[in-house]
Amino acid sequence: MIAIVDYGMGNLRSVQKALEKVGAPARIVHAPAELDGAHGIVLPGVGAFGQAMENLRSGDWIEPLRELVSRRVPLIGICLGMQLLFETSEEMGQHQGLGLLHGEVKRFSGVLKIPQMGWNQVRICRTSPLLDGIQPGGYAFFVHSYYCEPRDLSVILATTDYGIEFASVVGQGHIYGAQFHPEKSQVVGLKILENFKRIVRQQATDDRQQPTDRT
């Protein structure tokens, strides 16, 4: 089961429908206790970074999410959800993120119209199981005014040009993020979600095959 976290900041049903379209069993969870038994996590998000973190704190989501990540449960952040994976954001002040990836979230400046809203190319720069089967230069649908600037460039899996070149897909271990909306990105988006399903399934298989402690 893939859990879609409902913390009051996203169009959850559209994400769930997209996952179901690629054959991924997905459930919207409304409380941390409902994460029990989840083999994968989707952290969606639309809106302001600070409010999103406040919702995660007030809903007691932060420690359960960190605990699952520490147990190697695959997680993908979508749009604002990808930004929340990082340490800080400058959106309307300074705000602390989940800190699962090193780096910060910055506002576009001196570029084209803000927010970026519409289709743009995703340029793959590193191989990853999340990007298997995606054609180079495929298009995805973006809606955002801020972008992630990872401290460790090796986590950048794909970039997009919007006046500057920014990280549009990131990944480190079993933690992933997509700045665009996969559920609105047709071929590219559905392939990302299908690949995430496979990552989740493989990790669940590996976990079952781990030897048990008989001492």
Side-chain angles (χ1 to χ4, degrees):
M1 188 270 293
I2 295 176
I4 304 168
V5 178
D6 178 11
Y7 62 106
M9 299 291 288
N11 186 357
L12 309 177
R13 180 58 186 146
S14 62
V15 175
Q16 184 181 36
K17 287 173 67 176
L19 283 164
E20 290 171 348
K21 188 170 184 176
V22 299
R27 185 177 72 197
I28 297 170
V29 296
H30 308 284
E34 296 177 42
L35 290 170
D36 187 42
H39 296 103
I41 305 165
V42 176
L43 184 65
V46 175
F49 189 103
Q51 184 61 61
M53 285 304 301
E54 176 56 34
N55 287 8
L56 288 173
R57 279 190 293 270
S58 63
D60 294 324
W61 289 102
I62 294 178
E63 289 311 313
L65 288 173
R66 286 175 173 163
E67 169 64 20
L68 286 171
V69 167
S70 74
R71 288 161 40 194
R72 301 193 61 78
V73 173
L75 178 150
I76 186 169
I78 295 173
C79 196
L80 176 61
M82 167 170 152
Q83 297 177 7
L84 296 174
L85 303 179
F86 287 85
E87 294 167 303
T88 62
S89 171
E90 63 180 28
E91 183 176 359
M92 294 185 288
Q94 283 290 322
H95 301 280
Q96 297 295 312
L98 293 171
L100 299 175
L101 299 174
H102 296 303
E104 57 187 324
V105 179
K106 294 184 173 183
R107 181 174 171 82
F108 285 121
S109 63
V111 297
L112 307 175
K113 182 180 178 182
I114 300 173
Q116 174 181 202
M117 183 179 297
W119 296 89
N120 205 341
Q121 277 190 311
V122 177
R123 299 183 177 91
I124 298 171
C125 53
R126 281 185 174 78
T127 59
S128 167
L130 189 70
L131 300 177
D132 283 351
I134 293 178
Q135 296 300 310
Y139 281 79
F141 190 82
F142 293 81
V143 183
H144 63 125
S145 301
Y146 292 79
Y147 66 95
C148 300
E149 188 173 87
R151 193 184 311 166
D152 179 0
L153 299 183
S154 71
V155 308
I156 301 175
L157 303 180
T159 63
T160 296
D161 191 337
Y162 194 67
I164 63 169
E165 190 174 13
F166 67 91
S168 50
V169 183
V170 296
Q172 180 175 276
H174 53 289
I175 302 169
Y176 300 95
Q179 181 60 69
F180 50 87
H181 287 274
E183 76 280 11
K184 297 179 181 178
S185 295
Q186 298 180 8
V187 174
V188 168
L190 290 176
K191 192 61 178 174
I192 288 269
L193 295 177
E194 182 182 4
N195 288 340
F196 184 69
K197 175 195 72 174
R198 290 176 177 169
I199 290 167
V200 170
R201 185 171 293 167
Q202 184 61 55
Q203 184 62 49
T205 299
D206 292 347
D207 289 345
R208 285 194 297 269
Q209 292 175 348
Q210 288 291 328
T212 57
D213 185 355
R214 299 180 182 276
T215 60

